[in-house]
Amino acid sequence: MLDPRSAVRIVTQLTAFRSPKLSHLSVEATDALFPSVPPPSGATGGATAGDADAAGDDSALPAREPPSNQRVHDQFVLSRLEAFIEGAAFSQPVATFAAEHAHKFRPITAEEEQPLHYQELYLAYEAVLEGALETFLADHRLTVATLLECVRRAHERSEPLRCVDMLLASAEYGAFVELMLDYKFDMH
């Protein structure tokens, strides 16, 4: 069985998910698949099947096959992962880590070597990300294997995987150093 803490590393090793062609699978896009579920209060979006029916214009909607249960499940899981990554349960531990360690960073030139303590802090930062991801998995009663299968199937269907892009951006060393420097200069 895979250790949940390794999920971020596993996702970063899946080079197929580093494609710039991957775009956004928002919570709103997933909620649009469930017209019987009311959207969150204040949510707005494009026309729905109900809007076209009310207007009496069925020809405006393309004929679509209903999504499979597996596809609906995958999209649900991935949209919840995206919402989690955008929420406080993910961003607060990252902000706390940055507040504690940003003062240890300074801008360096391309000719300079990265200080060794940057790598040590990066490993600690990865542990923070993995802990947050473990929280998501536990809260949704998912395993790493289940999450990776959802990601794999969505990728095979050429569905956008913004949540994976967000995790990759959060887990890459260069993005980490940039985050620490941004946080340091925002504090002053």
Side-chain angles (χ1 to χ4, degrees):
M1 179 170 198
L2 292 172
D3 178 0
R5 292 181 304 247
S6 65
V8 172
R9 286 192 199 99
I10 291 170
V11 171
T12 60
Q13 292 172 3
L14 299 173
T15 56
F17 298 116
R18 295 179 186 237
S19 169
K21 294 179 183 177
L22 297 177
S23 61
H24 180 156
L25 174 62
S26 68
V27 172
E28 291 79 20
T30 302
D31 290 340
L33 290 174
F34 303 97
S36 63
V37 177
S41 61
T44 60
T48 64
D51 294 336
D53 290 342
D57 185 10
D58 292 335
S59 64
L61 296 175
R64 292 190 308 172
E65 283 186 35
S68 69
N69 288 341
Q70 189 67 64
R71 182 177 181 189
V72 169
H73 173 263
D74 293 351
Q75 289 177 335
F76 177 80
V77 168
L78 296 175
S79 70
R80 297 305 163 231
L81 177 59
E82 180 178 315
F84 177 80
I85 292 169
E86 291 175 342
F90 186 82
S91 63
Q92 189 58 47
V94 169
T96 299
F97 183 90
E100 292 174 5
H101 299 287
H103 70 279
K104 300 173 185 173
F105 288 79
R106 65 173 177 77
I108 59 172
T109 65
E111 294 80 35
E112 291 181 89
E113 285 189 32
Q114 296 278 331
L116 183 59
H117 73 275
Y118 284 18
Q119 181 63 29
E120 293 166 355
L121 289 170
Y122 175 67
L123 295 175
Y125 176 72
E126 275 189 327
V128 168
L129 295 179
E130 290 167 356
L133 191 55
E134 282 179 13
T135 298
F136 171 80
L137 293 171
D139 288 351
H140 291 82
R141 296 182 180 161
L142 295 169
T143 65
V144 172
T146 301
L147 179 60
L148 289 176
E149 279 300 304
C150 290
V151 169
R152 182 191 59 76
R153 286 188 299 263
H155 179 70
E156 287 173 357
R157 291 187 301 263
S158 299
E159 293 175 353
L161 299 167
R162 183 169 183 244
C163 58
V164 174
D165 290 342
M166 293 167 71
L167 276 176
L168 289 172
S170 298
E172 290 180 346
Y173 179 78
F176 162 72
V177 172
E178 188 175 317
L179 172 72
M180 292 296 114
L181 290 171
D182 288 348
Y183 200 93
K184 177 179 182 173
F185 293 119
D186 286 346
M187 290 180 1
H188 293 101

